[in-house]
Amino acid sequence: MELYQLKYFLYASKYENISKAAQELRVAQPSVSKAIRALEKELQTELFERNGKRIALTYAGRVLRERISPVMWRLEELPDELHHLGREAEIIKLNAVSAVPLLADIIKHFKEEEPDVMFVVTDQREKTDWDICICSADPGLTYTYGKELLKEKVFLGVSEDSWLSGRKQVSLGEIRKEQFIMLPRGTMLRKLADEQFREYHFVPNISMECDSTQLVWQLVSNGAGITLWPEYSWGERRDVQLVEIVEPGFFRTIFLLYRRLGEMTAAACKFAEYVIEYMGALEKGETPYSL
């Protein structure tokens, strides 16, 4: 049995029509008919019952189709699979520590342009095995291999039931007695808060430290306290209201860090530029995609 004969038989059995099989195979109709007859002769059995132009599988034809179709359809897919395997997929290792809600939109649009690029995404500040890292920085810190993306405003996050809900702005003096839920000491947001609070001689009433931002959100939404809420990194939630702190005016810097340019793949370099362009548009108050 020739492979092409089995293929022609499968297409004919799929449609039970020689003309339709020939059209999909892009061959002449007589070629399909001739291949099937040669196959029947070799197997010494009829595979189709013929009634004029109409054909229908015989019992032997149905058995043959069941036996060979899983293998033949896999063989049909094999050229595409080998094509993709033969290409070395470019991998971008992204460590997403800050501004995470923005990155989903950026990656989505980047993948539309570069569908073969694969992302490996982590969110561990201590991790060093990455091509690109999006993170906030210690106050006053700069990086040799990095670029400032934007200044992120840090709001006060309060529950919908809080007396602060509905306020646009609040001063530190007004919230001296409020219970704060804070990230642990050593985290970037906590370092920023401690430095700013010291500068304005403000001692927050910290009722809880929690290293899970998800749990902090839930505690605040349930009215267990208030917290400092980074605008982009933590995103918007309907059950948490954001209030601007008048003084000192909390901001933190979001950086894109990268390996030495000579060590980065072309895809990673392009993605870095994509992130920079997106964040730049966002900081200017523009809609990023129009990018």
mmCIF file of all heavy atoms in Angstrom, residues 157-184:
data_model
loop_
_atom_site.group_PDB
_atom_site.id
_atom_site.type_symbol
_atom_site.label_atom_id
_atom_site.label_comp_id
_atom_site.label_asym_id
_atom_site.label_seq_id
_atom_site.Cartn_x
_atom_site.Cartn_y
_atom_site.Cartn_z
ATOM 1 N N GLY A 157 -5.554 53.276 50.751
ATOM 2 C CA GLY A 157 -6.644 52.372 50.416
ATOM 3 C C GLY A 157 -7.567 52.191 51.606
ATOM 4 O O GLY A 157 -7.112 51.837 52.700
ATOM 5 N N VAL A 158 -8.875 52.456 51.413
ATOM 6 C CA VAL A 158 -9.852 52.346 52.503
ATOM 7 C C VAL A 158 -11.053 51.552 52.005
ATOM 8 O O VAL A 158 -11.300 51.449 50.805
ATOM 9 C CB VAL A 158 -10.297 53.739 53.001
ATOM 10 C CG1 VAL A 158 -9.091 54.578 53.416
ATOM 11 C CG2 VAL A 158 -11.111 54.482 51.937
ATOM 12 N N SER A 159 -11.825 51.020 52.947
ATOM 13 C CA SER A 159 -13.020 50.260 52.577
ATOM 14 C C SER A 159 -14.145 51.206 52.169
ATOM 15 O O SER A 159 -14.123 52.406 52.483
ATOM 16 C CB SER A 159 -13.479 49.375 53.738
ATOM 17 O OG SER A 159 -14.076 50.167 54.744
ATOM 18 N N GLU A 160 -15.138 50.677 51.498
ATOM 19 C CA GLU A 160 -16.290 51.479 51.089
ATOM 20 C C GLU A 160 -17.080 52.004 52.281
ATOM 21 O O GLU A 160 -17.772 53.017 52.181
ATOM 22 C CB GLU A 160 -17.203 50.644 50.187
ATOM 23 C CG GLU A 160 -16.587 50.297 48.845
ATOM 24 C CD GLU A 160 -17.508 49.454 47.986
ATOM 25 O OE1 GLU A 160 -18.174 48.547 48.556
ATOM 26 O OE2 GLU A 160 -17.585 49.703 46.782
ATOM 27 N N ASP A 161 -16.966 51.304 53.419
ATOM 28 C CA ASP A 161 -17.710 51.708 54.617
ATOM 29 C C ASP A 161 -16.933 52.677 55.502
ATOM 30 O O ASP A 161 -17.456 53.153 56.512
ATOM 31 C CB ASP A 161 -18.084 50.463 55.441
ATOM 32 C CG ASP A 161 -18.998 49.521 54.672
ATOM 33 O OD1 ASP A 161 -19.786 50.022 53.842
ATOM 34 O OD2 ASP A 161 -18.899 48.296 54.870
ATOM 35 N N SER A 162 -15.695 52.955 55.160
ATOM 36 C CA SER A 162 -14.875 53.848 55.981
ATOM 37 C C SER A 162 -15.383 55.289 55.897
ATOM 38 O O SER A 162 -15.950 55.710 54.875
ATOM 39 C CB SER A 162 -13.417 53.794 55.513
ATOM 40 O OG SER A 162 -12.642 54.815 56.104
ATOM 41 N N TRP A 163 -15.152 56.056 56.969
ATOM 42 C CA TRP A 163 -15.528 57.469 56.950
ATOM 43 C C TRP A 163 -14.700 58.250 55.928
ATOM 44 O O TRP A 163 -15.071 59.356 55.516
ATOM 45 C CB TRP A 163 -15.352 58.097 58.341
ATOM 46 C CG TRP A 163 -13.926 58.181 58.822
ATOM 47 C CD1 TRP A 163 -13.226 57.214 59.473
ATOM 48 C CD2 TRP A 163 -13.042 59.289 58.675
ATOM 49 N NE1 TRP A 163 -11.945 57.636 59.753
ATOM 50 C CE2 TRP A 163 -11.806 58.924 59.269
ATOM 51 C CE3 TRP A 163 -13.155 60.565 58.115
ATOM 52 C CZ2 TRP A 163 -10.712 59.769 59.309
ATOM 53 C CZ3 TRP A 163 -12.053 61.417 58.150
ATOM 54 C CH2 TRP A 163 -10.858 61.017 58.740
ATOM 55 N N LEU A 164 -13.590 57.637 55.487
ATOM 56 C CA LEU A 164 -12.745 58.274 54.486
ATOM 57 C C LEU A 164 -13.240 58.024 53.059
ATOM 58 O O LEU A 164 -12.791 58.688 52.119
ATOM 59 C CB LEU A 164 -11.310 57.751 54.616
ATOM 60 C CG LEU A 164 -10.552 58.167 55.880
ATOM 61 C CD1 LEU A 164 -9.333 57.290 56.080
ATOM 62 C CD2 LEU A 164 -10.159 59.634 55.798
ATOM 63 N N SER A 165 -14.144 57.053 52.894
ATOM 64 C CA SER A 165 -14.655 56.718 51.571
ATOM 65 C C SER A 165 -15.377 57.935 50.980
ATOM 66 O O SER A 165 -16.181 58.580 51.642
ATOM 67 C CB SER A 165 -15.611 55.539 51.649
ATOM 68 O OG SER A 165 -16.110 55.230 50.373
ATOM 69 N N GLY A 166 -15.071 58.250 49.761
ATOM 70 C CA GLY A 166 -15.668 59.419 49.130
ATOM 71 C C GLY A 166 -14.792 60.650 49.205
ATOM 72 O O GLY A 166 -15.002 61.613 48.458
ATOM 73 N N ARG A 167 -13.781 60.634 50.093
ATOM 74 C CA ARG A 167 -12.847 61.748 50.174
ATOM 75 C C ARG A 167 -11.872 61.686 48.995
ATOM 76 O O ARG A 167 -11.411 60.612 48.601
ATOM 77 C CB ARG A 167 -12.056 61.688 51.482
ATOM 78 C CG ARG A 167 -12.883 61.934 52.745
ATOM 79 C CD ARG A 167 -13.086 63.423 52.982
ATOM 80 N NE ARG A 167 -11.811 64.114 53.184
ATOM 81 C CZ ARG A 167 -11.234 64.272 54.387
ATOM 82 N NH1 ARG A 167 -11.822 63.784 55.485
ATOM 83 N NH2 ARG A 167 -10.097 64.931 54.499
ATOM 84 N N LYS A 168 -11.518 62.820 48.447
ATOM 85 C CA LYS A 168 -10.519 62.861 47.388
ATOM 86 C C LYS A 168 -9.111 62.955 47.961
ATOM 87 O O LYS A 168 -8.161 62.400 47.394
ATOM 88 C CB LYS A 168 -10.787 64.026 46.446
ATOM 89 C CG LYS A 168 -12.039 63.845 45.601
ATOM 90 C CD LYS A 168 -12.177 64.979 44.595
ATOM 91 C CE LYS A 168 -13.396 64.747 43.701
ATOM 92 N NZ LYS A 168 -13.558 65.835 42.699
ATOM 93 N N GLN A 169 -8.972 63.677 49.079
ATOM 94 C CA GLN A 169 -7.663 63.877 49.684
ATOM 95 C C GLN A 169 -7.773 63.756 51.199
ATOM 96 O O GLN A 169 -8.852 63.940 51.778
ATOM 97 C CB GLN A 169 -7.112 65.264 49.330
ATOM 98 C CG GLN A 169 -6.787 65.461 47.866
ATOM 99 C CD GLN A 169 -6.225 66.851 47.601
ATOM 100 O OE1 GLN A 169 -6.619 67.829 48.230
ATOM 101 N NE2 GLN A 169 -5.290 66.933 46.662
ATOM 102 N N VAL A 170 -6.636 63.434 51.814
ATOM 103 C CA VAL A 170 -6.594 63.360 53.270
ATOM 104 C C VAL A 170 -5.184 63.735 53.714
ATOM 105 O O VAL A 170 -4.207 63.468 52.991
ATOM 106 C CB VAL A 170 -6.971 61.951 53.773
ATOM 107 C CG1 VAL A 170 -5.932 60.928 53.347
ATOM 108 C CG2 VAL A 170 -7.155 61.921 55.277
ATOM 109 N N SER A 171 -5.060 64.385 54.873
ATOM 110 C CA SER A 171 -3.751 64.720 55.424
ATOM 111 C C SER A 171 -3.339 63.660 56.431
ATOM 112 O O SER A 171 -4.187 62.927 56.961
ATOM 113 C CB SER A 171 -3.782 66.093 56.095
ATOM 114 O OG SER A 171 -4.590 66.040 57.263
ATOM 115 N N LEU A 172 -2.048 63.572 56.700
ATOM 116 C CA LEU A 172 -1.573 62.592 57.672
ATOM 117 C C LEU A 172 -2.155 62.861 59.055
ATOM 118 O O LEU A 172 -2.440 61.928 59.813
ATOM 119 C CB LEU A 172 -0.042 62.609 57.733
ATOM 120 C CG LEU A 172 0.691 62.072 56.487
ATOM 121 C CD1 LEU A 172 2.202 62.211 56.667
ATOM 122 C CD2 LEU A 172 0.330 60.626 56.207
ATOM 123 N N GLY A 173 -2.332 64.139 59.386
ATOM 124 C CA GLY A 173 -2.879 64.466 60.702
ATOM 125 C C GLY A 173 -4.265 63.898 60.930
ATOM 126 O O GLY A 173 -4.638 63.591 62.068
ATOM 127 N N GLU A 174 -5.030 63.711 59.860
ATOM 128 C CA GLU A 174 -6.406 63.214 59.993
ATOM 129 C C GLU A 174 -6.462 61.709 60.238
ATOM 130 O O GLU A 174 -7.508 61.192 60.636
ATOM 131 C CB GLU A 174 -7.206 63.557 58.734
ATOM 132 C CG GLU A 174 -7.452 65.038 58.507
ATOM 133 C CD GLU A 174 -8.216 65.271 57.216
ATOM 134 O OE1 GLU A 174 -7.566 65.409 56.159
ATOM 135 O OE2 GLU A 174 -9.468 65.294 57.266
ATOM 136 N N ILE A 175 -5.374 61.013 59.979
ATOM 137 C CA ILE A 175 -5.433 59.539 60.062
ATOM 138 C C ILE A 175 -4.483 58.992 61.127
ATOM 139 O O ILE A 175 -4.120 57.827 61.090
ATOM 140 C CB ILE A 175 -5.120 58.898 58.686
ATOM 141 C CG1 ILE A 175 -3.761 59.395 58.133
ATOM 142 C CG2 ILE A 175 -6.227 59.188 57.677
ATOM 143 C CD1 ILE A 175 -3.330 58.704 56.851
ATOM 144 N N ARG A 176 -4.128 59.824 62.104
ATOM 145 C CA ARG A 176 -3.217 59.362 63.159
ATOM 146 C C ARG A 176 -3.795 58.197 63.962
ATOM 147 O O ARG A 176 -3.057 57.345 64.443
ATOM 148 C CB ARG A 176 -2.875 60.522 64.095
ATOM 149 C CG ARG A 176 -1.939 61.539 63.472
ATOM 150 C CD ARG A 176 -1.487 62.580 64.465
ATOM 151 N NE ARG A 176 -0.635 63.583 63.843
ATOM 152 C CZ ARG A 176 0.656 63.424 63.588
ATOM 153 N NH1 ARG A 176 1.255 62.297 63.925
ATOM 154 N NH2 ARG A 176 1.358 64.384 63.012
ATOM 155 N N LYS A 177 -5.106 58.169 64.138
ATOM 156 C CA LYS A 177 -5.717 57.142 64.978
ATOM 157 C C LYS A 177 -6.207 55.929 64.176
ATOM 158 O O LYS A 177 -6.697 54.959 64.765
ATOM 159 C CB LYS A 177 -6.886 57.744 65.758
ATOM 160 C CG LYS A 177 -6.469 58.811 66.761
ATOM 161 C CD LYS A 177 -7.659 59.330 67.545
ATOM 162 C CE LYS A 177 -7.241 60.390 68.545
ATOM 163 N NZ LYS A 177 -8.397 60.920 69.322
ATOM 164 N N GLU A 178 -6.075 55.989 62.855
ATOM 165 C CA GLU A 178 -6.531 54.880 62.021
ATOM 166 C C GLU A 178 -5.576 53.683 62.136
ATOM 167 O O GLU A 178 -4.368 53.850 62.318
ATOM 168 C CB GLU A 178 -6.624 55.308 60.553
ATOM 169 C CG GLU A 178 -7.687 56.340 60.273
ATOM 170 C CD GLU A 178 -9.080 55.801 60.562
ATOM 171 O OE1 GLU A 178 -9.421 54.732 60.036
ATOM 172 O OE2 GLU A 178 -9.815 56.469 61.318
ATOM 173 N N GLN A 179 -6.129 52.501 62.031
ATOM 174 C CA GLN A 179 -5.307 51.289 62.097
ATOM 175 C C GLN A 179 -4.758 50.963 60.701
ATOM 176 O O GLN A 179 -5.523 50.777 59.755
ATOM 177 C CB GLN A 179 -6.138 50.120 62.637
ATOM 178 C CG GLN A 179 -6.558 50.289 64.085
ATOM 179 C CD GLN A 179 -7.224 49.044 64.631
ATOM 180 O OE1 GLN A 179 -7.844 48.273 63.896
ATOM 181 N NE2 GLN A 179 -7.086 48.821 65.930
ATOM 182 N N PHE A 180 -3.436 50.886 60.639
ATOM 183 C CA PHE A 180 -2.766 50.602 59.364
ATOM 184 C C PHE A 180 -2.475 49.109 59.246
ATOM 185 O O PHE A 180 -2.036 48.468 60.201
ATOM 186 C CB PHE A 180 -1.444 51.365 59.265
ATOM 187 C CG PHE A 180 -1.580 52.770 58.761
ATOM 188 C CD1 PHE A 180 -1.990 53.787 59.615
ATOM 189 C CD2 PHE A 180 -1.293 53.071 57.440
ATOM 190 C CE1 PHE A 180 -2.101 55.084 59.151
ATOM 191 C CE2 PHE A 180 -1.407 54.371 56.973
ATOM 192 C CZ PHE A 180 -1.811 55.389 57.833
ATOM 193 N N ILE A 181 -2.685 48.591 58.043
ATOM 194 C CA ILE A 181 -2.232 47.248 57.679
ATOM 195 C C ILE A 181 -1.072 47.455 56.703
ATOM 196 O O ILE A 181 -1.252 48.005 55.621
ATOM 197 C CB ILE A 181 -3.347 46.432 57.010
ATOM 198 C CG1 ILE A 181 -4.567 46.340 57.930
ATOM 199 C CG2 ILE A 181 -2.854 45.034 56.629
ATOM 200 C CD1 ILE A 181 -5.806 45.807 57.246
ATOM 201 N N MET A 182 0.122 47.027 57.084
ATOM 202 C CA MET A 182 1.323 47.350 56.306
ATOM 203 C C MET A 182 2.052 46.086 55.859
ATOM 204 O O MET A 182 1.976 45.047 56.520
ATOM 205 C CB MET A 182 2.274 48.197 57.159
ATOM 206 C CG MET A 182 1.681 49.515 57.643
ATOM 207 S SD MET A 182 1.532 50.749 56.337
ATOM 208 C CE MET A 182 3.236 51.290 56.227
ATOM 209 N N LEU A 183 2.771 46.221 54.758
ATOM 210 C CA LEU A 183 3.691 45.160 54.358
ATOM 211 C C LEU A 183 4.845 45.110 55.364
ATOM 212 O O LEU A 183 5.121 46.102 56.045
ATOM 213 C CB LEU A 183 4.230 45.422 52.956
ATOM 214 C CG LEU A 183 3.215 45.388 51.802
ATOM 215 C CD1 LEU A 183 3.935 45.654 50.484
ATOM 216 C CD2 LEU A 183 2.465 44.075 51.745
ATOM 217 N N PRO A 184 5.543 43.989 55.471
ATOM 218 C CA PRO A 184 6.618 43.865 56.470
ATOM 219 C C PRO A 184 7.781 44.807 56.187
ATOM 220 O O PRO A 184 7.982 45.262 55.056
ATOM 221 C CB PRO A 184 7.052 42.406 56.344
ATOM 222 C CG PRO A 184 5.953 41.713 55.631
ATOM 223 C CD PRO A 184 5.323 42.725 54.740
#
